[in-house]
């Protein structure tokens, strides 16, 4: 799906153009220069987001952090996190965005996946956004898995939902491993 603007309510919450509640996932091809003002304005959504930069460099800002993300890199944006994106270089920025309800990864309510791997990440406000770089083995694998899930969704071949869920679940676990030190430190300090 190509999106060229955001529908925001009065609280800056994005109203996502999802068509299927049974599969809470949206894949978007974004050419940032087609958005009003050439930026993606401040907004938030209860869903998490995986971003992959195909071309250019984007400045991803959240409440307390700013990340410069170049072609071949990406980011994870946490649930309910106010964020903004703007191009940095002269090249037009093109990204692949995947926005999903974490229930797609967690499965059933109170499952081991939800309790052990999903909720700790969602509840960790220190994980506003995570810059994903191919310079590390885990970063490279997360980026590759998110790209494969996007491509499967884009092709929409029979059973693509299984591929999307599988690839994003593996990416989530790798991301969880990357964030584990932050999660453990907060647990020790009572944060």
């Amino acid at each position: 799906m190509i999106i060229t603007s955001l529908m925001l309510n009065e609280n800056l919450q994005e109203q996502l153009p999802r068509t299927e509640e049974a599969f809470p996932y949206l894949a978007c091809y974004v050419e940032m220069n087609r958005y009003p003002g050439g930026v993606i304005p401040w907004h938030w959504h209860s869903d998490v987001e995986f971003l992959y930069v195909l071309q250019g460099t984007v400045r991803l800002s959240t409440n307390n952090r700013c990340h410069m993300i170049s072609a071949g890199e990406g980011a994870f944006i946490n649930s309910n996190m106010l964020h903004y994106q703007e191009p940095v270089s002269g090249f037009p920025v093109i990204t692949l965005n995947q926005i999903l309800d974490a229930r797609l990864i967690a499965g059933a309510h109170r499952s081991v996946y939800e309790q052990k791997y999903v909720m700790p990440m969602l509840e960790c406000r220190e994980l506003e956004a995570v810059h994903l770089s191919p310079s590390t083995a885990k970063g490279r694998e997360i980026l590759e898995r998110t790209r494969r899930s996007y491509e499967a969704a884009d092709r929409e071949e029979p059973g693509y939902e299984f591929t999307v869920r599988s690839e994003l679940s593996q990416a989530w676990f790798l991301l969880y491993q990357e964030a584990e030190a932050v999660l453990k430190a907060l647990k020790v300090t009572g944060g």
Side-chain angles (χ1 to χ4, degrees), residues 4 7 18 23 41 51 72 82 87 92 95 109 118 127 162-163 191:
T4 58
M7 293 187 314
R18 236 194 234 124
F23 188 61
L51 167 81
L82 192 63
T95 63
H109 179 57
V118 173
L127 295 175
F162 285 111
T163 302

Side-chain angles (χ1 to χ4, degrees), residues 44-102:
W44 64 277
H45 33 75
S46 59
D47 294 347
V48 298
E49 183 171 353
F50 284 96
L51 167 81
Y52 182 89
V53 179
L54 282 177
Q55 177 181 297
T57 300
V58 64
R59 177 181 293 116
L60 169 64
S61 299
T62 59
N63 288 329
N64 300 303
R65 294 191 175 72
C66 182
H67 302 277
M68 299 297 192
I69 305 166
S70 298
E73 299 178 332
F76 165 79
I77 304 166
N78 211 342
S79 171
N80 299 312
M81 194 53 55
L82 192 63
H83 57 285
Y84 170 88
Q85 296 172 43
E86 65 182 333
V88 173
S89 64
F91 285 114
V93 173
I94 299 174
T95 63
L96 305 177
N97 297 42
Q98 296 176 86
I99 303 169
L100 57 135
D101 186 318

Side-chain angles (χ1 to χ4, degrees), residues 20 23 148-164:
E20 218 179 303
F23 188 61
R148 283 197 303 248
S149 66
Y150 180 91
E151 290 168 353
D154 191 47
R155 287 190 305 270
E156 286 191 352
E157 292 173 351
Y160 78 92
E161 298 93 343
F162 285 111
T163 302
V164 167

Side-chain angles (χ1 to χ4, degrees), residues 4 9-10 15 23 27-30 43 45 49 52-53 59 72 79 86 99 102 105 134-135 141 153 167 171 173 183:
T4 58
N9 69 15
E10 65 279 357
Q15 307 303 295
F23 188 61
C28 311
Y29 178 88
V30 174
H43 70 285
H45 33 75
E49 183 171 353
Y52 182 89
V53 179
R59 177 181 293 116
S79 171
E86 65 182 333
I99 303 169
I105 307 296
S135 65
E141 189 171 351
E167 293 292 351
F173 180 63
L183 297 170

Side-chain angles (χ1 to χ4, degrees), residues 32-44:
M32 200 173 297
N33 63 347
R34 295 178 68 183
Y35 278 70
V39 300
I40 297 178
W42 285 102
H43 70 285
W44 64 277

